[in-house]
Amino acid sequence: MDFPVIVTAIFGAFVVFGGVMGYVKASSKASLIAGSITGGLLLLSAFLMARGITAGAILGMVVSLLLVAQFGASLRKKFKIMPNLLVVILGLITLGTLIFRLVA
Protein backbone atom coordinates (compact mmCIF):
# COMPACT_ATOMS: atom_id res chain seq x y z
CA MET A 1 0.00 0.00 0.00
CA ASP A 2 1.22 3.46 -0.75
CA PHE A 3 1.38 6.51 1.50
CA PRO A 4 -1.71 8.40 0.20
CA VAL A 5 -3.88 5.32 0.81
CA ILE A 6 -2.66 5.02 4.39
CA VAL A 7 -3.04 8.76 5.09
CA THR A 8 -6.57 8.82 3.65
CA ALA A 9 -7.61 5.72 5.61
CA ILE A 10 -6.27 7.19 8.86
CA PHE A 11 -8.05 10.48 8.23
CA GLY A 12 -11.28 8.61 7.42
CA ALA A 13 -11.06 6.57 10.62
CA PHE A 14 -10.35 9.73 12.61
CA VAL A 15 -13.40 11.48 11.13
CA VAL A 16 -15.68 8.52 11.92
CA PHE A 17 -14.28 8.37 15.46
CA GLY A 18 -14.80 12.13 15.83
CA GLY A 19 -18.42 11.81 14.78
CA VAL A 20 -18.99 9.06 17.33
CA MET A 21 -17.28 11.14 20.04
CA GLY A 22 -19.45 14.14 19.15
CA TYR A 23 -22.50 11.96 19.64
CA VAL A 24 -21.25 10.48 22.92
CA LYS A 25 -20.15 13.79 24.46
CA ALA A 26 -22.83 16.15 23.18
CA SER A 27 -25.60 13.78 22.02
CA SER A 28 -25.14 15.31 18.57
CA LYS A 29 -26.83 13.15 15.97
CA ALA A 30 -25.58 15.57 13.31
CA SER A 31 -21.96 14.83 14.30
CA LEU A 32 -22.59 11.10 14.16
CA ILE A 33 -24.27 11.27 10.75
CA ALA A 34 -21.81 13.73 9.18
CA GLY A 35 -18.79 11.95 10.64
CA SER A 36 -20.03 8.58 9.46
CA ILE A 37 -20.78 9.78 5.94
CA THR A 38 -17.60 11.81 5.36
CA GLY A 39 -15.37 9.30 7.16
CA GLY A 40 -16.97 6.46 5.22
CA LEU A 41 -16.35 8.30 1.95
CA LEU A 42 -12.70 8.78 2.91
CA LEU A 43 -12.38 5.07 3.73
CA LEU A 44 -14.05 4.25 0.39
CA SER A 45 -11.56 6.59 -1.27
CA ALA A 46 -8.64 4.72 0.32
CA PHE A 47 -10.13 1.38 -0.77
CA LEU A 48 -10.54 2.56 -4.36
CA MET A 49 -7.00 3.94 -4.48
CA ALA A 50 -5.65 0.64 -3.13
CA ARG A 51 -7.39 -1.02 -6.08
CA GLY A 52 -5.75 1.42 -8.50
CA ILE A 53 -8.90 3.41 -9.28
CA THR A 54 -8.09 7.09 -9.84
CA ALA A 55 -11.59 8.20 -8.88
CA GLY A 56 -10.69 7.26 -5.30
CA ALA A 57 -8.08 10.02 -5.14
CA ILE A 58 -10.53 12.53 -6.58
CA LEU A 59 -13.21 11.50 -4.07
CA GLY A 60 -10.71 11.83 -1.23
CA MET A 61 -9.66 15.29 -2.41
CA VAL A 62 -13.26 16.51 -2.62
CA VAL A 63 -14.19 15.20 0.83
CA SER A 64 -10.97 16.51 2.39
CA LEU A 65 -11.51 19.92 0.82
CA LEU A 66 -15.08 20.05 2.14
CA LEU A 67 -13.94 19.12 5.65
CA VAL A 68 -11.12 21.69 5.60
CA ALA A 69 -13.58 24.38 4.46
CA GLN A 70 -16.19 23.50 7.09
CA PHE A 71 -13.82 23.14 10.02
CA GLY A 72 -11.66 26.06 8.84
CA ALA A 73 -14.69 28.35 9.02
CA SER A 74 -15.46 27.07 12.52
CA LEU A 75 -11.82 27.55 13.50
CA ARG A 76 -11.92 31.21 12.47
CA LYS A 77 -15.02 31.82 14.58
CA LYS A 78 -13.77 29.99 17.66
CA PHE A 79 -10.24 28.66 18.01
CA LYS A 80 -10.58 25.10 19.25
CA ILE A 81 -7.81 22.57 18.86
CA MET A 82 -10.25 19.67 19.04
CA PRO A 83 -11.75 19.04 16.59
CA ASN A 84 -11.38 22.13 14.38
CA LEU A 85 -7.61 22.61 14.18
CA LEU A 86 -6.89 18.90 14.08
CA VAL A 87 -9.33 18.25 11.22
CA VAL A 88 -7.94 21.20 9.24
CA ILE A 89 -4.34 19.98 9.67
CA LEU A 90 -5.13 16.34 8.87
CA GLY A 91 -7.33 17.42 5.96
CA LEU A 92 -4.57 19.55 4.45
CA ILE A 93 -2.04 16.73 4.85
CA THR A 94 -4.44 14.30 3.18
CA LEU A 95 -5.24 16.78 0.42
CA GLY A 96 -1.53 17.35 -0.21
CA THR A 97 -0.72 13.66 -0.47
CA LEU A 98 -3.64 13.08 -2.83
CA ILE A 99 -2.68 15.98 -5.08
CA PHE A 100 0.90 14.72 -5.15
CA ARG A 101 -0.39 11.23 -6.06
CA LEU A 102 -2.32 12.57 -9.05
CA VAL A 103 0.44 14.87 -10.28
CA ALA A 104 3.41 12.53 -9.79
Side-chain angles (χ1 to χ4, degrees), residues 10-69:
I10 290 171
F11 186 40
F14 174 79
V15 170
V16 170
F17 179 74
V20 170
M21 290 307 297
Y23 178 73
V24 169
K25 287 189 171 192
S27 297
S28 172
K29 289 182 184 176
S31 290
L32 180 63
I33 293 167
S36 297
I37 291 171
T38 54
L41 288 172
L42 287 166
L43 292 170
L44 174 63
S45 167
F47 175 78
L48 292 173
M49 286 188 294
R51 299 276 184 210
I53 301 171
T54 306
I58 295 168
L59 174 63
M61 287 184 348
V62 169
V63 174
S64 295
L65 193 58
L66 290 172
L67 287 169
V68 166

